[in-house]
Amino acid sequence: MKPKKTFIASFLAITFFISCDSTDKINDDNTATSPKDQIATDSKIDASIDDVTNIAENQFSIKQNTTSKSSTQIKSILPACATTTWTLANGTFTGTIDFGTQGCTLQNENVLKGKIILSFSGNFTTPEQTISYTFDGFYHNGTKIQGNKTITRSLKSTELLATVHPVFTCTTDMTVTFEDGSIYTRTGNRVRELIEGYDTIGDWDDNVYLVTGNENTSKASGDTWSSTIKTPLRYVTTCRKPFPVSGTVLKIKNGVETLVDYGNGECDNLVNATTANVTITIELKR
């Protein structure tokens, strides 16, 4: 009987070890393969892209409105410590937004340093306008952002909203360096649709966006994963948070799928992530 008991004990120990090891792979915060690590990284990159995109759209709208000599003034979302300089040459506006070296805090409490350089045509009568921007010593919450992005702005009807509304198609190719020295690249395409607030151009605070698209994120070490928005992400400006209030994103790495659910509309920083039928709640950080 003793050998049999020894065998059973050994089997249970091995089973327990495998079970714990499997759980650790799903929940370990410190491994590059952890879904939680991927979600945290993507969230910080997403927040930087979203802030810069909002700034670019806002500054474009202000310049367009000023050029048309409209009596309606558009509110700037820039903090008072940011300075802007514009030039017009050969029909192209170029604007430098300088947040300084000490940093400027946005309404959503993200801190920006350095410069964003915008450029777009001064012909605002065309059905589509392209906004391009680059960075000069630019940091978002201590994370260095390099690269470029192009936004194509158009007015049209879509499947998400039949009424003609502003649609921004964004192409991204960026390198992100976190404070711990880790480096990531982000490439992809997103479509941002302004579904509420487009009819009150003077008030930026009532804007609501739905975002779709897909992206790839790569770490310098070689780790790569994809992100595909399955249910449109909803961003509400009045939340004053750099996170969606609802929507889902499917992340895939090495064949392992994780579905990230941003909730049902609450202005919080919590998401539910499901991997291999195991769901955990994650608190997103800036």
Side-chain angles (χ1 to χ4, degrees):
M1 295 298 291
K2 191 172 290 185
K4 185 175 181 181
K5 289 182 178 179
T6 303
F7 172 79
I8 293 173
S10 299
F11 175 77
L12 291 174
I14 292 171
T15 303
F16 177 77
F17 173 79
I18 293 174
S19 175
C20 288
D21 183 61
S22 176
T23 303
D24 288 344
K25 286 180 180 178
I26 293 176
N27 295 298
D28 184 6
D29 297 1
N30 300 313
T31 62
T33 57
S34 167
K36 192 170 182 179
D37 180 74
Q38 297 171 34
I39 293 166
T41 298
D42 277 343
S43 177
K44 291 179 180 180
I45 297 175
D46 290 344
S48 66
I49 293 175
D50 189 59
D51 279 343
V52 174
T53 301
N54 280 333
I55 290 169
E57 292 175 11
N58 176 250
Q59 293 301 298
F60 173 88
S61 296
I62 290 173
K63 187 59 64 177
Q64 180 187 42
N65 195 60
T66 302
T67 303
S68 67
K69 298 180 180 180
S70 171
S71 59
T72 302
Q73 289 189 339
I74 297 179
K75 177 183 177 182
S76 174
I77 64 173
L78 294 176
C81 53
T83 60
T84 57
T85 305
W86 289 96
T87 61
L88 177 61
N90 299 320
T92 299
F93 279 109
T94 300
T96 299
I97 306 171
D98 190 349
F99 297 94
T101 58
Q102 298 302 312
C104 288
T105 304
L106 301 178
Q107 288 183 324
N108 60 16
E109 298 183 358
N110 287 332
V111 179
L112 311 185
K113 298 179 183 179
K115 300 175 183 178
I116 301 174
I117 297 93
L118 302 173
S119 65
F120 46 81
S121 171
N123 182 5
F124 298 108
T125 62
T126 59
E128 287 189 349
Q129 293 91 19
T130 299
I131 309 168
S132 299
Y133 60 79
T134 57
F135 306 100
D136 181 6
F138 181 73
Y139 290 81
H140 184 277
N141 289 337
T143 299
K144 187 175 184 179
I145 310 295
Q146 298 170 285
N148 58 76
K149 184 173 179 179
T150 300
I151 305 171
T152 302
R153 182 185 186 276
S154 58
L155 297 173
K156 59 185 177 181
S157 173
T158 68
E159 292 183 358
L160 296 180
L161 182 62
T163 305
V164 174
H165 60 287
V167 177
F168 306 88
T169 302
C170 309
T171 302
T172 303
D173 186 356
M174 299 169 63
T175 299
V176 178
T177 304
F178 287 103
E179 290 181 284
D180 64 1
S182 58
I183 301 174
Y184 295 83
T185 59
R186 164 67 67 82
T187 59
N189 297 279
R190 283 195 173 196
V191 178
R192 289 164 47 96
E193 301 191 23
L194 181 56
I195 62 165
E196 294 180 25
Y198 56 86
D199 52 350
T200 54
I201 61 173
D203 184 5
W204 198 263
D205 288 338
D206 61 357
N207 286 0
V208 176
Y209 296 87
L210 288 181
V211 178
T212 56
N214 55 81
E215 299 149 335
N216 289 312
T217 305
S218 303
K219 193 174 182 180
S221 62
D223 291 324
T224 301
W225 60 88
S226 65
S227 300
T228 302
I229 299 174
K230 305 300 289 185
T231 306
L233 301 179
R234 185 180 180 91
Y235 287 84
V236 179
T237 303
T238 53
C239 280
R240 299 287 189 260
K241 291 183 180 293
F243 313 115
V245 300
S246 63
T248 59
V249 179
L250 179 65
K251 299 182 183 297
I252 303 177
K253 180 178 180 181
N254 297 330
V256 178
E257 298 185 354
T258 298
L259 184 67
V260 183
D261 188 339
Y262 286 88
N264 57 5
E266 296 294 326
C267 292
D268 57 30
N269 60 337
L270 301 177
V271 299
N272 288 325
T274 302
T275 307
N277 295 321
V278 176
T279 300
I280 59 175
T281 299
I282 300 173
E283 182 180 4
L284 301 177
K285 305 293 184 181
R286 296 180 184 276

